[in-house]
Amino acid sequence: MRVLLVYPPFLEERPKDYDVRPLPIGIFYLAALLKEKGYQVEILNWYNLKDFHLAERTFRALRPDVIGFSIFNANRWGGIDLARLAKRLLPETKIVFGGVGATFLWEHLLTHFPEIDFVVRGEGEESFGRLLDALAAKAPSVELQKLPGIALRTESGPMATPEADFISEIDQLPDPARYYTFQHVISSRGCPWNCVFCGSPTFWKRRVRFHSPEYFVEQLERLSRRGVSFFYVSDDTFTLRKERVIRICEEILKRGLRITWQAISRVDAIDEEIVYWMRRAGCLQISFGVESGSEKIRNKVLNKKISTEAIKKAFEICRRYGVVPRAYFIYGCPGESKKTIEASVKLIKEIKPLSMICYILDLYPGTALYEEFKRRTGATDDLWLERIEDIMYHETDPGLPAERVRRFGRRLHETFDKNFPRFVETLDLVDRRELYPLHADFLTRLAITLRYGELAERDIPEKDRLAERLFRRALKYHPDHHAYLGLGIIYQQQRAFQKSIEILEQGLRHYPHSEELNVCQAVNYMQLGRFREALEHLLAFENSAEAMLRAAACYEALGNLAKRDEYLKKAKALGAKI
Ligand code: B12
Ligand code: SF4
């Protein structure tokens, strides 16, 4: 049987699509299991599909027996539109919706959209596997109605079968890294807490199941052998079990994996020892849901259950160990006011995050907040018949006009941007010798993020001066290659060529064969008209189109046209566009 798994397009186009581009992790788990069961599986990441003719051609060419759509709230319509198209072209093909966006809206979806045949509710592997087996065996509807964990249409209307049990040992699932390459990974499923805005408690029923450190690190190793060197560890709370996290980190170090990664945690689920091990094993950033500076909003309204003290402590630990603490804030909450936003502003200034993301509170089916909204307003799931991605809480609260909420958002962002230089200048890294190279790496990365990464677009004052100081500070800990290069480039851009030459000379003492340092140095000499010295830094890099091109320019300046042509030819052979 041929199965097509599709991640359908989102309704709205985003200026930055890094949040929606990655395929949901679950798709890889599903596909790996189906492959091992002998099904032919194909995955299509159509998160930004615009041309439905492409979908039409694909459906016609592949003629899948089953198409499974992975649904979030925001790509629900993309799934419905594609399902409609598929059903028109291939009426015999069974359409299955799964994922968090389908699980809680199964009744709505089956009631209003005849093109959807089944919804798989909750954890997908076993339920989908059983459904496919039954479809392959052409089981009649009465048999299908006995399969746990699904919903389907019967003569009397949509019905859900009893809930399926969770897979007891998730290590038994085939490792998707055997078949696929991906960057988002999870080492556990579920979260014991119960925040009202989050789908996890209802979806995973507050039970947490863990992959063993061996399973997880084996997966990382498989992926890293295929060239993945950075991972998003996307567990709801990666650090739930301290001993396990430390074992994972030790295993990464034991296997000598040269990887970096980031993780999600809670402020009350980390301590110094965990952060120390995570840093040593390549962790660059830990994200924490801080949500609000107002205790009332955080703990009463959102039910986050974390204290201000715990927040401060977690951020302090990360800052001392050279791990970027990222703060997630939510605004536009019930009871939000200037006062509560000022409480967030105060907290931001105190905890000094080095990265911050602010979301407007959304209402997702499956969350306690969404249920409360339905009770409060009498709304029903029919509201999803409108072509909208989601509903923001403030749209349901006359006390919170949109413009006011936007102002709140601006205030939070401005606070972060304006204070960021101080957040960086006050970093006080823990004095442990074995961490020195990592400290240098941390400071260098911060500087690079300021100049080229997510912070480059923010309105942070005096970014270049800050970056320069960070690079300099990094070099006090360790002769970091990128810090030398970063400084060399900054001075070069300031046209302080002699200064740039001096710092790059220092770098070249440690990394004489570095192409980047040598080419950057050559550029300095070229700018000063010292072409022979520039050539000394270029000629060794016979495999670099850029070095060969610059060498040709040097020869031209020196009047040696034969050599110029020789090097132009070399550059061309290496792919340089001349
Ligand atoms: C990691 C994560 C991310 C990562 C995505 C990593 C990735 N590639 O998956 C990032 C940071 C990119 C992200 C982004 C966003 N996320 Co997110 N994210 C999560 C998180 C914390 C974990 C998801 C996860 O890995 N689960 C574990 C795996 C095994 O489960 P799964 O992928 O859901 O798949 C299983 C089942 O759902 C099902 N299944 C899935 N697809 C299909 C398809 C078929 C055919 C079948 C049969 C079954 C099936 O079977 C799978 C295996 O058991 C969840 C919370 C949670 N705990 O679920 C929120 C969550 C999914 N995210 C959420 C949101 C809102 C977003 C954003 C829209 C945020 C934003 N404002 O921009 C974006 C965009 C959506 C997107 N592409 O993910 C919401 C979704 C709410 C909703 N109903 O739509 C959640 C539930 C959190 C919440 N607020 O409640 N997210
Ligand atoms: S927001 Fe985080 S801590 Fe709260 S229930 Fe969701 S995953 Fe757990």
Side-chain angles (χ1 to χ4, degrees):
M1 210 157 71
R2 282 185 304 273
V3 183
L4 189 59
L5 293 174
V6 178
Y7 180 47
F10 287 74
L11 215 47
E12 291 158 19
E13 219 164 302
R14 286 146 169 83
K16 300 233 163 46
D17 62 3
Y18 54 84
D19 250 4
V20 294
R21 191 177 48 218
L23 279 162
I25 299 163
I27 282 200
F28 294 116
Y29 275 92
L30 289 172
L33 185 84
L34 299 185
K35 271 188 187 273
E36 302 225 334
K37 279 167 85 76
Y39 291 107
Q40 285 177 42
V41 189
E42 204 152 327
I43 300 178
L44 291 173
N45 187 349
W46 275 347
Y47 80 98
N48 65 350
L49 178 86
K50 283 176 204 79
D51 176 12
F52 270 48
H53 295 299
L54 171 69
E56 189 168 334
R57 284 198 300 277
T58 310
F59 290 153
R60 278 192 205 280
L62 296 177
R63 305 193 75 76
D65 300 293
V66 175
I67 308 179
F69 289 94
S70 188
I71 303 291
F72 286 108
N73 229 43
N75 64 0
R76 177 182 91 258
W77 275 104
I80 294 165
D81 292 341
L82 284 172
R84 202 163 278 168
L85 174 71
K87 255 306 191 234
R88 182 165 61 71
L89 299 171
L90 309 165
E92 297 306 312
T93 296
K94 297 291 177 217
I95 304 290
V96 183
F97 271 31
V100 60
T103 295
F104 302 112
L105 287 181
W106 66 268
E107 196 166 7
H108 162 83
L109 292 168
L110 290 173
T111 303
H112 297 285
F113 304 101
E115 44 282 325
I116 304 169
D117 297 302
F118 302 97
V119 173
V120 168
R121 292 155 46 238
E123 188 170 57
E125 291 88 345
E126 289 187 344
S127 303
F128 193 39
R130 278 189 297 260
L131 175 62
L132 290 179
D133 292 347
L135 292 173
K138 304 219 178 310
S141 177
V142 280
E143 289 302 316
L144 299 178
Q145 288 170 35
K146 292 184 195 151
L147 300 175
I150 65 166
L152 70 171
R153 217 175 282 100
T154 65
E155 273 166 19
S156 50
M159 72 160 268
T161 63
E163 282 185 1
D165 291 336
F166 283 127
I167 299 161
S168 52
E169 277 297 334
I170 53 174
D171 266 9
Q172 282 168 6
L173 291 169
D175 178 1
R178 280 195 213 145
Y179 303 99
Y180 300 100
T181 305
F182 46 92
Q183 265 187 306
H184 287 261
V185 290
I186 43 165
S187 78
S188 65
R189 292 184 178 190
C191 165
W193 284 281
N194 201 12
C195 307
V196 298
F197 55 87
C198 177
S200 180
T202 335
F203 195 85
W204 300 112
K205 308 230 177 304
R206 300 177 70 186
R207 258 191 61 192
V208 190
R209 288 156 303 147
F210 299 90
H211 281 301
S212 63
E214 292 72 25
Y215 180 104
F216 182 57
V217 181
E218 185 69 31
Q219 180 175 93
L220 297 180
E221 187 167 6
R222 280 201 172 102
L223 294 166
S224 87
R225 278 202 299 263
R226 245 179 277 134
V228 184
S229 57
F230 182 78
F231 293 95
Y232 299 87
V233 177
S234 301
D235 302 42
D236 286 343
T237 308
F238 175 64
T239 55
L240 264 182
R241 285 199 187 159
K242 178 171 171 173
E243 294 313 320
R244 179 179 160 276
V245 174
I246 293 175
R247 271 186 55 208
I248 287 175
C249 295
E250 286 173 338
E251 193 62 30
I252 291 174
L253 290 168
K254 203 173 95 195
R255 294 186 189 212
L257 302 188
R258 296 176 64 83
I259 56 169
T260 50
W261 44 284
Q262 62 180 47
I264 306 167
S265 181
R266 267 177 65 102
V267 293
D268 54 0
I270 64 150
D271 63 16
E272 283 199 37
E273 202 183 352
I274 300 185
V275 177
Y276 167 78
W277 279 104
M278 286 171 71
R279 181 64 190 116
R280 286 202 50 200
C283 179
L284 303 179
Q285 173 175 290
I286 304 179
S287 300
F288 299 102
V290 174
E291 323 306 4
S292 173
S294 148
E295 287 259 7
K296 188 169 163 213
I297 289 198
R298 190 169 67 237
N299 291 331
K300 294 228 165 63
V301 176
L302 302 178
N303 203 32
K304 186 79 192 182
K305 302 272 184 269
I306 49 173
S307 68
T308 304
E309 276 325 298
I311 298 172
K312 287 184 187 164
K313 192 159 165 232
F315 277 71
E316 180 60 25
I317 293 174
C318 289
R319 285 170 52 89
R320 282 180 58 73
Y321 281 82
V323 173
V324 169
R326 166 179 274 189
Y328 279 99
F329 275 87
I330 298 182
Y331 62 103
C333 300
E336 197 81 85
S337 65
K338 197 158 180 293
K339 199 167 146 212
T340 61
I341 289 296
E342 287 311 310
S344 292
V345 164
K346 182 165 171 277
L347 188 60
I348 293 170
K349 288 181 184 169
E350 283 170 357
I351 62 175
K352 308 185 203 80
L354 298 174
S355 169
M356 188 180 89
I357 307 274
C358 299
Y359 283 120
I360 298 182
L361 183 63
D362 273 334
L363 300 171
Y364 293 114
T367 63
L369 205 62
Y370 177 74
E371 290 307 315
E372 185 278 329
F373 150 70
K374 287 205 293 191
R375 277 196 304 275
R376 175 165 48 91
T377 61
T380 69
D381 289 341
D382 278 356
L383 67 96
W384 299 110
L385 287 171
E386 221 185 298
R387 284 183 85 90
I388 48 169
E389 277 201 355
D390 39 38
I391 315 166
M392 290 180 260
Y393 167 78
H394 71 83
E395 293 170 334
T396 75
D397 182 344
L400 279 177
E403 179 41 39
R404 192 148 173 248
V405 174
R406 277 196 288 275
R407 255 201 324 272
F408 290 160
R410 282 199 295 275
R411 175 86 177 114
L412 296 177
H413 283 117
E414 273 164 24
T415 303
F416 176 79
D417 292 352
K418 258 209 328 252
N419 288 280
F420 189 79
R422 185 176 60 85
F423 296 169
V424 167
E425 308 264 327
T426 50
L427 276 167
D428 177 19
L429 294 166
V430 65
D431 194 18
R432 288 176 73 156
R433 223 153 240 294
E434 74 276 24
L435 292 180
Y436 283 4
L438 293 172
H439 286 348
D441 172 75
F442 163 67
L443 296 165
T444 302
R445 282 177 194 274
L446 260 184
I448 292 174
T449 314
L450 262 170
R451 281 178 57 82
Y452 309 105
E454 73 177 41
L455 297 173
E457 296 150 20
R458 307 287 285 250
D459 204 8
I460 294 170
E462 299 197 55
K463 281 194 214 106
D464 279 0
R465 219 164 53 87
L466 201 56
E468 179 189 339
R469 282 216 291 275
L470 280 165
F471 284 136
R472 287 246 169 237
R473 230 184 125 181
L475 290 176
K476 288 201 178 124
Y477 281 107
H478 186 76
D480 188 285
H481 174 266
H482 288 96
Y484 284 121
L485 184 65
L487 276 176
I489 294 174
I490 288 184
Y491 296 145
Q492 195 169 81
Q493 287 173 346
Q494 292 169 350
R495 304 193 66 76
F497 299 116
Q498 194 51 44
K499 225 167 148 187
S500 180
I501 286 174
E502 279 160 27
I503 195 75
L504 290 171
E505 250 169 29
Q506 288 176 31
L508 284 163
R509 259 175 245 142
H510 294 280
Y511 307 98
H513 306 299
S514 158
E515 180 187 326
E516 287 158 305
L517 293 180
N518 274 292
V519 171
C520 192
Q521 190 67 302
V523 173
N524 284 327
Y525 284 122
M526 287 169 78
Q527 290 287 344
L528 295 173
R530 291 155 65 177
F531 296 103
R532 283 186 204 289
E533 282 151 293
L535 281 170
E536 281 171 27
H537 289 280
L538 295 169
L539 297 183
F541 299 97
E542 287 227 318
N543 291 323
S544 155
E546 190 189 352
M548 295 300 97
L549 258 186
R550 291 196 189 277
C554 288
Y555 280 120
E556 179 168 300
L558 291 167
N560 188 340
L561 299 188
K563 281 276 184 198
R564 178 200 63 186
D565 292 345
E566 181 188 330
Y567 279 86
L568 275 182
K569 219 161 122 189
K570 285 186 184 190
K572 222 170 169 178
L574 290 165
K577 289 204 176 70
I578 300 162

